[in-house]
Structures are given as structure tokens and as C-alpha cells.
Amino acid sequence: MRSIARLMMPALALSVTALRGPAVSAQPSDLDPQIVKLVSSISEERLGVLLKKLESFETRSSLSSATSTTRGIGAARQWILDEMKSYSPKLQVSFDAYQVAKQGRVNRDVEMRNVMAVLPGKSPRRIYISGHYDSLAREGGQGASNAGKQVAFNAAPANPSGAEDNFAPGVNDDGSGTALAIELARVFGQSGIDFDATLVFMAHVGEEQGLIGAWLHAKKAVDQKIPIQAVLNNDIVGNDRGGNGIVDGATIRVYSEGPEDSPSRALARFVQRWGGRYVPSHKVRPMARPDRFGRGGDHSAYNQLGFAAVGFRESRENFTRQHDVRDTYEGISLPYLAQNARVNAAAAAVLALAPPPPSVTNDRGQPQITRAPSGYDANLTWKASPGAVAYRVFWREAWGMDWQHDVLVGNVTNLILPNTQIDDLVFGVAAVGGGGHESTVTAYVSPPRADSAVKTVGQP
Ligand SMILES: [Zn+2]
């Protein structure tokens, strides 16, 4: 513990120089010019070129031809690999391949390959920006599914003229998320910024058969102890026109699993905070649920294996184009997709330049929050985060989703707020790096109470 900062409640607006501990160098702006430049280098035109190329493979079904050089999953993955390789020698681009057995919607043993570009940072902790490049079209599409009609997933056996090679352009689902990830590989790879975290630009496979590529990669990360800090997954993010005619090109939904202070929720709040600062023309709408009803996406596979991950979803969907031969380039708004790409870029860049979020638990996993010294105070302790020069403490009423107050404290690992009832508020701490970049907020949360059986005498 470096030192203790004590704040008198009426004086919360006091400057950080009043706190003990080294003074924090003044930041003239919340915006880092490097990140502003990176965000502004995202190109609508490039996104359009990428989408047209993805559409040109006619289908990217994970069960389509792996051998054609112009059509199907094999041609598509090779092109994505070559494209990302061409952007920068700093990007380490590779296939992440798996031999998947016949199961569920996978109607034969098949090799599936994610395509990933890694931009190594100073630290091995990883920030992902992802989409899924595989596509699917079936009779009636998502429109029929929503209307309660039965649809066959993969009735026919795999052969070049079988159902898995049906025309399935998948330009929005999920060419949009794939193009976004590829474009961010370009702008991050060419940015010249020295990131602390390692960035990974990922095109997943097998999403339409059950989040297969994402799950296998997340499992590998668990097995190999690869520290995935955050996954920003984009799936259906390129259309601003609902199938009911309602248009919204100014907002994006971000879904995250609970409970309310889970790492995924913290990530969603972070996207809202920093996306909102770097791209104020685009509103981030966090959704306090894992995903839309009856729908799924790759972020959930990462969640299942214990990683923080959120799902970006366009605000107004056109279901008649999804999982349908009508999911073509005409259904895309490039200005809208570019705005979503900018929000992703801003959030990922801040995350990758900031220190890792601080731990607020002790070695037994208990939150380090007490009522000491008076018995009526809020006494918060956290562990120093590598690279942090200051911390920002957040709080809110214990009934609500958004942080209501925050205060920048110095390079300390403890804060006492006198006469502040810890039971009425949620507290959290973010680490702030030398460049003013802030981590996600780690909240003080009680671990779930273990069930304790009550013994009774005799028969119940
Ligand atoms: Zn999708």
C-alpha cells in the first residue's frame, strides 16, 4: 500500500494535489490525439471493398467447399489471411485450425479454421476485436424463424452441389463484423502506436453451427493460460434499416452477460464511456442481458469459458435478410458500419493503452472493502496495477446500472470516504496509466453465499 487518501465528502471536487501521494501530471484532454487519429483513419470505402469481396465467395458456409479457389469457405479464409498479412509486418497472421467431429449441425467431420491477426503489445494480455466470417442461408431465413415456421438446418449431405454450398452471401451476418475486424487490423497495424496489451483481430468460423470456432479458441486459451482480458464481438452491425421500416443509424446495442458487476458488464460500460467520448455522434446502448431472445453469438462462447466479452448488434435488424439469400451488399449502410467500427477502435485502443484493471479482492477472493476506522466509513483497498500512475474510484446507488460519481485519486491503493455507508453504494476502481488511459472498472462485489444446510432433530 503506497499511502492512504482520505476524502471529506463535501470536498469531493478537490484537486488531486490535495491528496497525499505523487501528483498526477495534468492531462489537457480526455482524448489522446493518437487514438483520435486512429479512429479517423477507419475508411468507409475500405469497408465497402472488404464486404464486396466477402460477398464474392457466394457462400462462406463452414460446410462448403474447402478446395475451390474462388467459392466457399476455403477461398474465403485464404483471402482473409492474405489480406490481413498485406497490411503490416507487425501483424502475425495465421489460421487457428481445428478438426471438428460430426455433431449437432455439423453433418460430417470437417476442418474448421479461424483466421487471426495478432498485434503483439508489451504485455501478453489480450484484447480481441472479432466477427464470424462463416455464413448460412436456409429456406425462409430468419424471417421465417421469427414467424415460428420450422426450418431445416442442414438436411442434405455435404457435396459441392449440396445444401451447404447454397448461395449464402452473408454480407451483414456476419460479413459486417468480419470486415470491421479486418479494417481494424489495418488501422491498428499501421498506426505506429506502441500498445501495452496485445491486440487480436479475429474472424471466427462455425458460428452458425453453434459458436464452434469461438468456443474452441476460448477453450485453447483456457488450456494454454492465454490471458484474454476482453472480447469485442461484432455480429450483424452493418444495417441501419429495420425490416419494419424503422431506421436508426445513430446507435449501437452492446449485449453483456450478468450479474450487474460482472467483467462483461464492466466492459459494456467501458465501451459506452470511451466510445461516447471518441465517437460522440454515435450512441452506445448497453443491454443488461446476454443477447437478444432466441439468438446467440460468439461472445457467449467466451463467456462460457470465463472471459469478459460483449456482443455488438445493430439497433434495427432486418430479419428477412438474415440467414437468407437476400443478405447482400445492398442491405448495408457503410456510414453506419464505419461508426460501429470507430466505437470498437476507440474502446480497444484505450483498453490496450491503459494498465490492466486493478484487483479489489484479497488472496482469498474477498472484496477489500470495510467500514473502518469509525465503523461507518467506506474504506476501499485495491492492489496496484502494473503501469498505473493513478486510480479513479467510481460509485453509484446500489440500485442502478450506471456509475453516478467518480473521482481521480493519486497513486494510492486505499481510499477512505468518511460516513459513507458501503451497504448503500456500489464502488469500483479503474487504473489510470501515464498517458491518462483508463482501464475497465473493477467493482467490489460480495462472493455468492455458500448454501449452509440446517440440521433438524428427528423427522422433518
Ligand atoms: Zn451471425
Side-chain angles (χ1 to χ4, degrees), residues 132 134 172-174 207-208 235-236 295-297 313 323:
H132 70 86
D134 64 308
N172 195 24
D173 184 10
D174 182 29
E207 194 273 350
E208 302 290 6
D235 193 352
I236 311 185
R295 308 294 301 276
R313 304 290 198 175
H323 300 158

Side-chain angles (χ1 to χ4, degrees), residues 206-217:
E207 194 273 350
E208 302 290 6
Q209 281 73 33
L211 320 182
I212 288 173
W215 192 91
L216 288 167
H217 183 78

